[in-house]
Amino acid sequence: PGLRPEESTNYEIGYQGTPWFGAKASAAVFYNDISDKIQTVYQPGKSTCTTTAKCQTTNVGKVHITGLEVGLTTPVNRWLEVGGNYTYLDLENVSNPGTKLTDIPREKLVLHATVHPTALVQVIAFLESDSGRWASNTVKLGGFTTLNLKASYAPRPDLTLEAGINNLSDQNYSLADGYPSPGRTWFANANYRF
């Protein structure tokens, strides 16, 4: 009932540009000064919310998040484009250093490649790698790497047919303790724009 609103002042300096023809690059350094950070807090010794072990969303104090993000996408030749992003975060609970900041990985890497075998077809590979994250003050979830593949065919400008696989390696991972993310998933889509 006494939950206060979270407030944040954010500072960022960055660059976006084209270091060479066809390439897109970005870099940023940022600092977030957060007051009354809101996150889920579990009962002592517990790491999940159940009917018998209640948890609540509460203010955990003043938090500083400092980070760096870099990204680059570039064509390799007329049928292949590659790119990636890397993010690093330094998380500090200023008010209460003993309380972990939850649900935020310290490092994240995303790599992607797009192949255009013809003008109407493209194949996209997307890899994401996250470092571990705290789920509570006592439980730290492990890092993970997933690979997704998708092929799309656009026979007309307003129609796209897609098929693919998410989490190709069937990685067992969680973003929240006790809630595993989906394993290998096949999908097919048809998108019509009008």
Side-chain angles (χ1 to χ4, degrees), residues 140 159 181 193:
K140 186 172 185 181
L159 178 64
S181 293
R193 293 170 298 282

Side-chain angles (χ1 to χ4, degrees), residues 76-94:
V76 175
N77 53 38
R78 64 177 186 78
W79 54 268
L80 175 63
E81 179 181 89
V82 296
N85 293 68
Y86 172 76
T87 303
Y88 173 81
L89 299 174
D90 181 40
L91 311 167
E92 180 186 9
N93 189 337
V94 178

Side-chain angles (χ1 to χ4, degrees), residues 21-122:
F21 179 75
K24 297 175 189 167
S26 63
V29 177
F30 53 89
Y31 174 77
N32 301 331
D33 184 8
I34 304 169
S35 299
D36 293 322
K37 171 86 168 93
I38 297 173
Q39 70 180 31
T40 299
V41 175
Y42 304 97
Q43 287 185 11
K46 305 294 182 182
S47 63
T48 58
C49 302
T50 66
T51 55
T52 57
K54 303 292 186 189
C55 61
Q56 66 183 32
T57 303
T58 188
N59 300 104
V60 295
K62 187 170 185 63
V63 170
H64 293 162
I65 300 176
T66 307
L68 164 74
E69 185 170 71
V70 294
L72 177 67
T73 299
T74 184
V76 175
N77 53 38
R78 64 177 186 78
W79 54 268
L80 175 63
E81 179 181 89
V82 296
N85 293 68
Y86 172 76
T87 303
Y88 173 81
L89 299 174
D90 181 40
L91 311 167
E92 180 186 9
N93 189 337
V94 178
S95 300
N96 187 359
T99 300
K100 305 284 190 210
L101 299 176
T102 60
D103 305 323
I104 305 171
R106 183 174 292 272
E107 295 180 272
K108 183 173 187 171
L109 175 68
V110 174
L111 300 174
H112 56 88
T114 304
V115 178
H116 302 275
T118 72
L120 304 179
V121 175
Q122 66 178 3

Side-chain angles (χ1 to χ4, degrees), residues 73 81-85 108-115 123-130 144-151 165-169 173 187:
T73 299
E81 179 181 89
V82 296
N85 293 68
K108 183 173 187 171
L109 175 68
V110 174
L111 300 174
H112 56 88
T114 304
V115 178
V123 179
I124 301 168
F126 180 87
L127 179 135
E128 178 180 339
S129 183
D130 287 23
F144 64 87
T145 300
T146 59
L147 175 64
N148 304 321
L149 292 173
K150 177 176 83 170
I165 309 169
N166 289 330
N167 194 2
L168 179 66
S169 64
Y173 71 100
F187 67 89

